[in-house]
Amino acid sequence: MKDNRSNHWPAPAKLNLFLHINGRRADGYHELQTLFQFIDHCDYLDFAVNDTGTLTLHSSMNDVVAHSDNLILKAAKSLQEVTQTTLGAEIWLDKRLPMGGGIGGGSSDAATTLVALNHLWQTGLSSQKLADIGLSLGADVPVFINGLAAFAEGVGEHLQAVDVAEPWYLVITPNVHVSTALIFQDPALPRDTPKLNLADLMSNPWRNDCQQLVSNLYPQVAKALAWLIEYAPSRMTGTGACVFGVFDTRQQAEDAFAKMPVDLSGFIAKGTNKSPLVLRLAQY
C-alpha cells in the first residue's frame, strides 16, 4: 500500500494573535473578532486512494476519539457526498499537535483532508466550496483551507487576508484539555468587547478575552503564562490551553526554551502568513 501513498500533507497549527468576544447571538453562537496566523508546527497525513469507496483511518487517536466523531473521516465523507465520487482512501495520521490546546489541530486535520482528497480524487472543487464544506465541520476549518493569515469576524467565517510580522514563537502546551464549548458557555466569559475596524485592532494592544477565565479555571495555564511572560510578550491562543511568547529571533526563543521548568512542555515554531498546506499543494 505504501507505494501509492501521497505522503506528508501538513496540517499546521494556528495561533489567535488576538481574540475579542463581541456578543452572543440569538442562536447561541458568539460574535468575535480574531487574527489567525499559522505556525510551521504540524500534524501530517498520508493518503492512499482506492476505488472501493471505503474510508479507513490509521491513528494513535483511535482509542481517544470515536470514528463517528473524527473530523478527518467526517471531512472525507462530506467530500464524497458533495462530489458523488466513488473513490475512497486509506488515511494515516501522524498526530503531533495537542488536543484541546487552542491551536486548531482537529480543524486543521479536517481542512488538510478536504484539500488533499479534492486533489487526489480530482473532484475539482474550488477553495470556496471546500471552505463551505469545512464550515459545517467547525468554525476554524475555512481559515485552514484558505491557507492565508486572516482577520476573522462573525463566528469566524468572514475572513480577510492580512500581512503581519512573522516572528518566532515559544508555545507552551499545558497538560490539560480545555473544552471550547464549556468556555463559551461560562457566565464569566466577557462578551461585550466593542467591535473595532481592522486598522484600530492592529494598532491597539492585542489580547485574548478568554485568557483570564481559562487561567482562573486551569492553574496549569496560569502557571505557563506567568513563567513565559517573564521572557516575552505572551498570550493564550483560542480558548486555550496553549500559550505563546513572541520572539524576534529563533535564538531568543531557544534561550527561553532552555530555561523552561521541567514540569512544562512546549515547542518552538516560526510564524507564517502562508500555510504549509498551501505550499504543499503548490508543488503540483
Side-chain angles (χ1 to χ4, degrees), residues 202-271:
M202 297 296 280
S203 60
N204 284 333
W206 292 351
R207 71 173 194 275
N208 183 332
D209 282 346
C210 301
Q211 181 171 304
Q212 189 58 57
L213 171 61
V214 175
S215 295
N216 292 344
L217 295 173
Y218 298 90
Q220 302 95 320
V221 175
K223 178 181 178 180
L225 270 169
W227 178 80
L228 189 55
I229 207 162
E230 294 294 320
Y231 295 90
S234 304
R235 291 180 298 287
M236 188 180 75
T237 179
T239 53
C242 291
V243 302
F244 61 94
V246 185
F247 297 86
D248 292 332
T249 68
R250 182 182 183 104
Q251 187 60 53
Q252 291 171 340
E254 294 274 10
D255 291 344
F257 186 73
K259 299 171 185 172
M260 192 165 64
V262 294
D263 59 342
L264 294 178
S265 59
F267 58 86
I268 293 169
K270 182 77 164 66

Side-chain angles (χ1 to χ4, degrees), residues 27 141-142 188 210 253 277:
D27 61 8
V141 178
C210 301
L277 176 61

Side-chain angles (χ1 to χ4, degrees), residues 129-206:
K129 184 58 181 176
L130 291 176
D132 291 342
I133 298 172
L135 185 60
S136 70
L137 300 170
D140 288 350
V141 178
V143 75
F144 289 107
I145 290 172
N146 290 333
L148 299 174
F151 171 58
E153 294 187 284
V155 297
E157 80 279 24
H158 300 306
L159 300 173
Q160 177 181 341
V162 295
D163 188 24
V164 292
E166 298 176 318
W168 289 90
Y169 296 107
L170 170 52
V171 181
I172 297 181
T173 56
N175 189 27
V176 292
H177 186 295
V178 178
S179 166
T180 296
L182 289 179
I183 295 303
F184 275 110
Q185 291 167 13
D186 196 297
L189 178 69
R191 296 181 172 87
D192 57 356
T193 297
K195 287 190 178 182
L196 297 173
N197 62 47
L198 181 56
D200 288 339
L201 286 165
M202 297 296 280
S203 60
N204 284 333
W206 292 351

Side-chain angles (χ1 to χ4, degrees), residues 78-85 118 121 123 125 133:
S78 295
L79 187 61
Q80 282 181 327
E81 291 168 2
V82 169
T83 63
Q84 295 294 293
T85 182
N118 185 55
W121 287 343
T123 41
L125 297 188
I133 298 172

Side-chain angles (χ1 to χ4, degrees), residues 2-20:
K2 286 186 178 180
D3 56 348
N4 70 334
R5 280 199 205 183
S6 181
N7 291 327
H8 225 54
W9 286 83
K14 59 80 177 172
L15 298 177
N16 296 86
L17 301 186
F18 61 75
L19 175 57
H20 297 171

Side-chain angles (χ1 to χ4, degrees), residues 85-109:
T85 182
T86 58
L87 298 175
E90 198 165 358
I91 307 169
W92 291 262
L93 171 64
D94 179 4
K95 188 67 180 169
R96 304 184 185 188
L97 305 179
M99 296 179 62
I103 56 177
S107 295
S108 189
D109 292 342

